[in-house]
Every structure is written in structure tokens, then in C-alpha cells.
Amino acid sequence: MQTILYIGITILTVAGMEFVAWAAHKYLMHGALWVWHEDHHRPHHDKEGFFEKNDLFFLVFAIPSATSYIVGLNVAGWFWLTFVGIGISIYGAIYFLIHDVYIHRRFPWFRHLDGKYSRAILRAHGHHHAITEKDGAESFGLLVVAKKYFGKRSEWAGEESKA
Ligand SMILES: [Zn+2]
Ligand SMILES: [Zn+2]
């Protein structure tokens, strides 16, 4: 029973992190912390080196994860929190593999991945990157993709990308 509870907490945390990441992207990264996110919206040719300032967000999200592990493993009665930490770690790995590797191709893995869902993810995030400014972007989530991105380009592309 305990095991099922811990697996449930882990799965709920992974799912909840999609919402947390969406909210952080929309309200912090395109808000007060735009200075760290801005270089991720610049065209690739004017970037120097492998890292972006935007990668600092991996460190930011490591804080609640590390805190969950430390408290969960060391404070009596809080062991369940360890699985919140595991869920945040799993989401971080998924985010890295899909956003950084699959979409932005920082490593040459899963280039041949092709399916309805993977294409919808690419379109939605591509549409997010169509805007290079702080304001006006859409599609802030990663795994939850609006239905329109499963359809034809004419259903989701705005005026800006028809030019
Ligand atoms: Zn963004
Ligand atoms: Zn991106």
C-alpha cells in the first residue's frame, strides 16, 4: 500500500511540474526573470558556446528538488517528500530530453523521432519561439499541447508566420 502511495506521489509530482513549469515560463521567465530567458529566444547564430543563461533555470528547479530529498530522507515522518523530489527530478530529465535535446538539438539524439504527438510538441514550441520578445508569445507549456497544434498549419499559425 505504501509503495502505491509513493508511486502515486511521484506521478502526481511529474504531472504537477508541467503546470509549475508552464506558470514559471509564462510569469517569471517572460516576466521579472526575462534577462535569463532572453538568450533562449535569440536566433541560434548569435549565441556563444554551449550554455545559455536560460540554463540557470535548471539550477533554480534543483532547489525545490534537493530540499525535498534532504527533508524527506532526514526528517522523521516526511519520507513521502522524497518522492516529490524524485518527481521533480524525473520532470527535469524529461524537460531536458524533450526541450533541449529533441526540440533544440543540443545533442544528436532522437532525431528520427516522428509521430503525431512529437510533431505537435515541435509545432507548439516552435510557435513559442516565433516571438523573440518578452511579450506576445504563446504555448508556454511543454508536454500539454493545445489541440490546434495537432492540425494543419493554417489552424495555428498567426499572421506573423504567414509573411
Ligand atoms: Zn519562452
Ligand atoms: Zn525553447
Side-chain angles (χ1 to χ4, degrees):
M1 199 56 218
Q2 199 84 324
T3 312
I4 294 171
L5 179 71
Y6 293 150
I7 292 170
I9 291 173
T10 307
I11 293 170
L12 279 179
T13 305
V14 173
M17 279 302 292
E18 170 70 9
F19 174 76
V20 172
W22 168 84
H25 189 186
K26 189 172 168 78
Y27 298 108
L28 290 176
M29 295 159 84
H30 283 258
L33 296 176
W34 171 249
V35 279
W36 287 2
H37 188 52
E38 189 178 9
D39 66 348
H40 185 62
H41 276 267
R42 277 199 325 237
H44 284 273
H45 52 81
D46 54 342
K47 272 177 197 156
E48 297 149 26
F50 180 77
F51 288 103
E52 302 170 355
K53 262 193 220 143
N54 188 55
D55 294 329
L56 286 168
F57 289 106
F58 278 108
L59 299 180
V60 172
F61 282 106
I63 297 169
S65 181
T67 308
S68 300
Y69 285 118
I70 293 166
V71 175
L73 294 170
N74 292 292
V75 180
W78 285 74
F79 185 57
W80 61 272
L81 199 60
T82 310
F83 297 90
V84 172
I86 291 172
I88 298 172
S89 299
I90 292 173
Y91 186 81
I94 293 171
Y95 201 95
F96 172 75
L97 291 173
I98 294 185
H99 177 260
D100 293 86
V101 180
Y102 177 61
I103 299 176
H104 291 293
R105 302 183 160 215
R106 295 173 79 179
F107 291 93
W109 313 329
F110 348 106
R111 293 224 165 138
H112 302 292
L113 190 69
D114 192 24
K116 277 196 169 127
Y117 180 50
S118 71
R119 279 193 208 172
I121 287 179
L122 279 179
R123 290 181 191 127
H125 196 69
H127 199 201
H128 177 72
H129 277 281
I131 302 292
T132 53
E133 305 297 320
K134 180 179 168 189
D135 300 312
E138 56 175 292
S139 294
F140 293 92
L142 185 70
L143 303 176
V144 176
V145 177
K147 216 172 141 206
K148 62 180 177 178
Y149 294 109
F150 287 87
K152 292 195 188 78
R153 184 177 176 82
S154 56
E155 290 168 35
W156 53 266
E159 292 304 316
E160 82 282 351
S161 47
K162 282 182 189 148

